[in-house]
Structure formats: structure tokens, C-alpha cells
Amino acid sequence: MGNPPNNVNSPAQEQLYLGIDGGGTKCRARIISASGRMLGTGVGGPANPLHGVQQTLISIQTATERALVDAGLPVTSCNQLIAGIGLAGVNLPSLFDVINQWKHPFQQMHLTTDLHIACLGAHKGAEGAVIVAGTGSCGYSYVDGKATVLGAHGFPFGDIGSGAWMGLEAIKAVLLASDDLGPRTLLSELIGEHLQAKGVMIVDKMAGAKSSDYAQLAIFVLDAADRDDAVALAIVKQGADYLSAVAERLWETKPARMSLLGGLAQRLIPWMSPAMVERLSAPLNQPEFGAVYFAQQSNDALETA
Amino acid sequence: MGNPPNNVNSPAQEQLYLGIDGGGTKCRARIISASGRMLGTGVGGPANPLHGVQQTLISIQTATERALVDAGLPVTSCNQLIAGIGLAGVNLPSLFDVINQWKHPFQQMHLTTDLHIACLGAHKGAEGAVIVAGTGSCGYSYVDGKATVLGAHGFPFGDIGSGAWMGLEAIKAVLLASDDLGPRTLLSELIGEHLQAKGVMIVDKMAGAKSSDYAQLAIFVLDAADRDDAVALAIVKQGADYLSAVAERLWETKPARMSLLGGLAQRLIPWMSPAMVERLSAPLNQPEFGAVYFAQQSNDALETA
């Protein structure tokens, strides 16, 4: 839990905080001073330890160094940062432990999930709840210091209502239709055109596809649903119903605020329960800010202890 | 299409045929004489070109060499074999072409799908239809020289009614139940015990799982269905209904016989439409024999041409 402090308490210098938001495609870093000045930002490569622990640690370091450079600080001042790090994948205890045992280069490192920092960001450091609908999907609430996670199970067995799930359901429907064993759907045309393939050739195109590849097909499902395609409507409604059910469960934990986040949030809102949508609040800040709030709160807790 | 013949027409020697059945976990070879004597068998490693073309070619060679040794023949007599090769994956034209361009070591090589040789085997070289329910699922008929393929799309977007599909549906149901967002099911207990995990730890265990890993869970779905578990019943019935619909479509091609093949065949029969089951015939021979029939028929066609 942190290296010994290193000339950080010199009166001339404010404590610096680092916020890291690491996910499957990239890692964002943000450096903020104790008084709240935004000093620098940086981006690194993929940082989901489920897909590679070493890559994750490299991406965190790259993003941090770029943020330090952006802030006009020497890269060696890494050891003056109190880091809050939110990562996908560390809801799995085995991965949390691996990352938490890292001989990190920071003054302190405080590790939590990407969901926790997204939630702290959305509510400006306060407790609350979030529903995420992007490449993946999940629900999260943090109330009275207790985290509740719904979903976040990942592709291909979880993440109903997410982009990857919608894309997978769409491919299943298109393949069934191509065999005349499922209803005809506009998706055959839209996805066939996008992939430049039909029937069994779609299998060829999607062999070995990752969740992010499937997620790119979600837009066609939403478009076809807007055009009243029955198959697409069934997929979108199942997804939206699941996310509405997640919201209902999250409200049981009595959060002060709840926000819907992620790339599909806006497109899904029309399909969700209006009573549920009515109660949602706008997200106030990005996850990297949430990571900084987490670093500050964790440090405050250490100092109080 | 084949190397020049190599002392195979000496009066003392009958033409030798090689039958290869290649799939995702292993590759079976069988050497048979023109008069039908079974001379030797051999097994090699995985031979699904979708998961590796080089590995497939190595597995075919290993299985062939072992069959030659088993037959008491020198490994160098490989070039006297007329090979019939049935492989998973080569229903994709790109993979068919790659394998078909192989500088193979045989006298002739005749390539087709694993489904075609399974069908020829089941009907002793005659035309007909098969439904396969094992790790994957599909329907196939070969009537009047015309092949009809239903399904065979692969994991995770196809193969309804297969072991891998049942396993994936089971994991989805168990994860939903663990969030209290789906009905309780006996599968949580059965699969939890098998994986020694529950809730989010199941995600940990199944991360990166292959179709064969999911297929190992199918037995629990079938067991829970036998014990009237509503979630398992819904999965098994959806799978059996799909396979019954596949059978119905295959009968439209007017095959003389139809057989149900694969590791799950016996367990699925009680759940399928009784009228459909009534019309099924027992499979007469293994796919490797089908590969030999295919080699003989292809060679006869060449000689007639």
C-alpha cells in the first residue's frame, strides 16, 4: 500500500493526484492538484487485465508518463503521485490481487473497479448508482460504503443490452433467417452490407471476433428497430427490459442519484421504462475524475486512521 | 488433384483407400483395400482448420502414418493412398481452398466437409440426411448430388441444441439467477458444484472457455431438465425444437434415410417431436468409412470421366 512519501510535503508543493480509467481499448490518465487544478492528461493502450496483466501495467505507465509530460512535470515525479486506479476485470478477485501486488512507481496506489470510478465520477465523488450500456453492460451502486454489482459478467455469457450482446443476437438472427429457420429481418440486409457477406460467409467474417467487433453491429440493430423490424425490436426490447430491471434492483439499494452511462445510453433511453428514465440524473464528470476522487478519499481515510 | 500413380497398379496390389475424419479435438484415419478389407486405423491431434491450418495438416499426416504402421505398411506407401478427407470448417470456402491447395503426400486427395462424410458413413455410401448434435449442431442432406447445410455456423452464434450452446445458455441463466434478475434454477447448484464456483467466480472460471468447455456443461442441463427444472427445460426444449425444425427442413429435400448423430443424440431424443423421431434410421457406419466411400466415389467419377 504505497511507497514512503518523497518530498511531497515541502510547503512549496501541493499533493498531486493521478486518476486512471483503464478499459479494454485504452487507458486514460489525469493529474490533478490537491486544490483541484487539472494539470495534465494522457492516454495509453489497453488496460483490461483479463486480456493481459503486463499490457495493463505498461498502459497505465504510458498514460501516466504522458500526463506528467502534459503537465510539464518530470517523469521521475511519478513517485509523488497518489494514484487512484479503476480497471475493468478487477471485479474478479484473482485479478484484483495480481494488480494490487504490483510494485508500482507511485507514492500510493489505490485500486478499484472501473465501475466504482465511473460511479464516483458521475456523482462528483458522492455515493450513487450507475447503469453502463456500451460494449458491455452492468449496474453498480455504492451506498453507505457498500458496493452492489449487477451483471458485468462479460461476453459472451453476460452483458444483456450491451453493444456486444446486441451484435451477437443480431448475427444469430441473421444466420437463422439465412437457413429459413427464423423470421426474415432487415438485419440480414444491413449487417450483410456492412460485412459484405451473407449466409455462411458471415460466419467466415465473424470467426474469432471480439466483443468490440460485435459491438460495432449494435447500431444496425437500433436502426432496424427504429424501422419497426420485428427481430430487431425483440432484441432491443429484451436489452432495454434487462437494463430497466437492473435499474429497479439498484434503486432498492437507495442511492441518492442514478445515471445511465456508455456509448449506447442515448439510443436505449427511448426503449426503456419511461418511469425509470424519469428518475435518471445526468452524469456530472468522467471516470478519470472518479479515480481521482477515489485516490483522495482513500488517502483521507489513511490519514484519519 | 493428385500426384502421379506410383506402382499402385501392379497386379499383386489392390488399390488402397484412406478415410480421414478431422474435427476440433482429434483426427481419425482408416485404411481400407479396394475389396473392403480394413487394414489399419490411426488417430492424430486436432484437425479443424478454423483453429489452425498447419495443425490440421500435421494431424492428418500423424493419423495417416499411424494407420499405415497399424496396417503393417511402410510410411513411404503414403503416396499409394487415394485419400478421402472430411474436415470441419471447410464449409467456409476460404478454408476449403487453403486445404485443397495443400501439396499433399497422397496419390489423390478428395476433400469435403465432415458433414458429408458423416452422412455417407451413416448411410453406407448412399445419399441421405443427418442431424448432428454433439459439441456443435447442424443438419445436412445430400440428395441427387446436391448438398443442403442447415446451421453448422459454430460457437457462439450458432449451433442451437448443441452441447456448447446448452452450456452457454446454462451459464447465462446461472449468472442471471445469481443477480436475482432471472429465475432460480437447479443449474446454479449443479454447475456451481462442477466448477467449484458461484456468482462472479463462475465468470473467472469460464473466461476464455472454448466451445468444448461449454459442451461439458450440457449434461447438467439435461439432468436438471429430467428433474423438471423450468430453466433447464426451457433450454432443452428450445434446442430440441430447433433440431426438429432442422429435420423438417431436411425432409423437404427428400432423402431416403435420415439419422441423428453426435454425443447428445440419445439424450435429446426424448425431447424431440415423436413423429420426427419415428422417421429416423440408425446410422450404419462411422464418418471415417464415409470418407473412404467419398474417396472411392470421387476416384470412380475421375475414371469414368
Side-chain angles (χ1 to χ4, degrees):
Chain A
M1 239 343 182
N3 300 326
N6 224 325
N7 80 309
V8 283
N9 295 322
S10 71
Q13 238 180 323
E14 277 190 281
Q15 175 64 53
L16 301 182
Y17 292 93
L18 169 71
I20 293 278
D21 173 30
T25 54
K26 54 178 169 273
C27 176
R28 294 175 190 280
R30 206 172 271 269
I31 295 173
I32 294 180
S33 73
S35 60
R37 274 184 307 137
M38 224 286 292
L39 302 176
T41 63
V43 175
N48 183 339
L50 196 60
H51 306 143
V53 168
Q54 278 314 308
Q55 175 63 59
T56 299
L57 301 181
I58 289 167
S59 298
I60 292 172
Q61 283 174 291
T62 304
T64 303
E65 286 170 13
R66 289 181 180 160
L68 284 166
V69 169
D70 187 44
L73 293 166
V75 168
T76 49
S77 57
C78 198
N79 63 3
Q80 297 172 35
L81 301 171
I82 296 183
I85 297 189
L87 296 181
V90 301
N91 53 320
L92 299 179
S94 58
L95 287 178
F96 185 94
D97 291 345
V98 166
I99 301 287
N100 209 34
Q101 281 153 26
W102 180 28
K103 303 278 174 236
H104 63 79
F106 312 116
Q107 182 187 331
Q108 293 175 21
M109 178 179 90
H110 303 283
L111 178 64
T112 189
T113 64
D114 55 343
L115 294 177
H116 190 187
I117 62 162
C119 189
L120 286 168
H123 308 305
K124 256 195 156 159
E127 296 191 333
V130 290
I131 306 159
V132 183
T135 299
S137 78
C138 60
Y140 180 87
S141 88
Y142 197 81
V143 177
D144 296 334
K146 185 177 171 295
T148 302
V149 182
L150 299 173
H153 294 136
F155 185 81
F157 33 69
D159 293 17
I160 300 173
S162 70
W165 175 86
M166 277 193 222
L168 177 58
E169 293 303 305
I171 292 288
K172 284 159 79 169
V174 168
L175 290 173
L176 275 179
S178 80
D179 275 349
D180 247 336
L181 285 167
R184 280 165 192 257
T185 162
L186 193 53
L187 292 171
S188 302
E189 191 186 308
L190 298 176
I191 290 179
E193 235 166 69
H194 174 74
L195 295 176
Q196 288 289 300
K198 56 184 189 173
V200 73
M201 294 307 295
I202 287 176
V203 174
D204 211 6
K205 294 273 182 179
M206 298 304 290
K210 298 188 298 285
S211 55
S212 51
D213 301 318
Y214 283 102
Q216 289 188 357
L217 307 177
I219 194 78
F220 302 113
V221 183
L222 291 158
D223 287 350
D226 284 344
R227 291 165 67 183
D228 269 341
D229 179 75
V231 169
L233 278 170
I235 295 172
V236 172
K237 281 181 180 164
Q238 189 192 339
D241 284 353
Y242 171 79
L243 295 175
S244 296
V246 167
E248 206 169 305
R249 284 285 322 282
L250 290 178
W251 281 121
E252 291 170 13
T253 66
K254 308 212 180 302
R257 299 177 94 244
M258 191 186 300
S259 300
L260 180 62
L261 313 177
L264 294 179
Q266 288 314 309
R267 290 295 301 265
L268 280 168
I269 278 184
W271 303 102
M272 295 173 95
S273 136
M276 195 280 276
V277 170
E278 191 58 44
R279 296 179 69 185
L280 295 177
S281 305
L284 301 175
N285 232 329
Q286 300 295 309
E288 312 97 271
F289 285 96
V292 168
Y293 302 141
F294 179 69
Q296 290 170 331
Q297 291 169 6
S298 302
N299 184 47
D300 290 352
L302 281 182
E303 288 182 350
T304 314
Chain B
M1 239 337 184
N3 300 327
N6 224 325
N7 80 309
V8 281
N9 294 322
S10 71
Q13 238 180 322
E14 277 189 283
Q15 175 63 54
L16 300 182
Y17 292 94
L18 169 70
I20 293 277
D21 174 29
T25 53
K26 55 178 168 274
C27 176
R28 294 175 189 280
R30 206 172 272 267
I31 295 173
I32 294 181
S33 73
S35 60
R37 274 184 307 138
M38 224 286 292
L39 302 177
T41 64
V43 176
N48 183 339
L50 196 60
H51 305 143
V53 167
Q54 280 313 309
Q55 175 63 59
T56 299
L57 301 180
I58 289 167
S59 297
I60 292 172
Q61 283 175 291
T62 304
T64 303
E65 286 170 13
R66 288 180 181 161
L68 284 166
V69 169
D70 188 42
L73 291 166
V75 168
T76 50
S77 57
C78 199
N79 63 3
Q80 297 172 33
L81 300 172
I82 295 183
I85 298 188
L87 296 182
V90 300
N91 53 320
L92 299 179
S94 59
L95 287 178
F96 185 93
D97 291 346
V98 167
I99 302 287
N100 209 34
Q101 281 154 24
W102 181 28
K103 304 279 174 236
H104 62 78
F106 312 116
Q107 182 186 332
Q108 294 175 20
M109 178 179 90
H110 303 283
L111 178 64
T112 190
T113 62
D114 56 341
L115 294 176
H116 190 187
I117 62 162
C119 189
L120 285 167
H123 308 305
K124 256 197 156 158
E127 295 191 333
V130 289
I131 306 158
V132 183
T135 300
S137 78
C138 60
Y140 181 86
S141 88
Y142 197 80
V143 177
D144 296 335
K146 186 177 171 297
T148 303
V149 182
L150 299 173
H153 294 138
F155 186 81
F157 34 69
D159 293 18
I160 302 173
S162 71
W165 175 85
M166 277 193 224
L168 177 58
E169 293 303 306
I171 292 289
K172 284 158 80 169
V174 168
L175 289 173
L176 276 178
S178 80
D179 275 348
D180 246 336
L181 286 166
R184 280 167 191 256
T185 164
L186 192 53
L187 292 170
S188 303
E189 188 186 310
L190 298 176
I191 290 180
E193 233 165 71
H194 173 74
L195 296 176
Q196 288 289 300
K198 58 184 187 172
V200 73
M201 294 308 294
I202 287 177
V203 174
D204 212 6
K205 294 272 182 181
M206 296 305 289
K210 295 188 299 286
S211 55
S212 51
D213 300 318
Y214 284 100
Q216 290 188 358
L217 307 176
I219 195 77
F220 301 113
V221 182
L222 291 159
D223 287 352
D226 284 345
R227 290 164 67 183
D228 271 339
D229 179 75
V231 169
L233 277 171
I235 295 172
V236 172
K237 281 182 180 165
Q238 189 191 342
D241 284 352
Y242 171 78
L243 295 175
S244 296
V246 167
E248 206 169 306
R249 283 286 322 280
L250 290 177
W251 281 119
E252 291 171 11
T253 66
K254 307 213 179 301
R257 300 176 94 242
M258 191 186 298
S259 299
L260 180 62
L261 313 176
L264 294 179
Q266 288 315 308
R267 290 295 302 264
L268 280 169
I269 278 184
W271 302 101
M272 296 171 96
S273 135
M276 196 280 278
V277 170
E278 190 58 43
R279 295 179 71 187
L280 294 176
S281 304
L284 301 175
N285 232 329
Q286 301 293 311
E288 311 97 271
F289 285 97
V292 168
Y293 302 141
F294 178 68
Q296 290 171 330
Q297 291 169 6
S298 302
N299 184 47
D300 292 350
L302 281 182
E303 288 183 350
T304 313

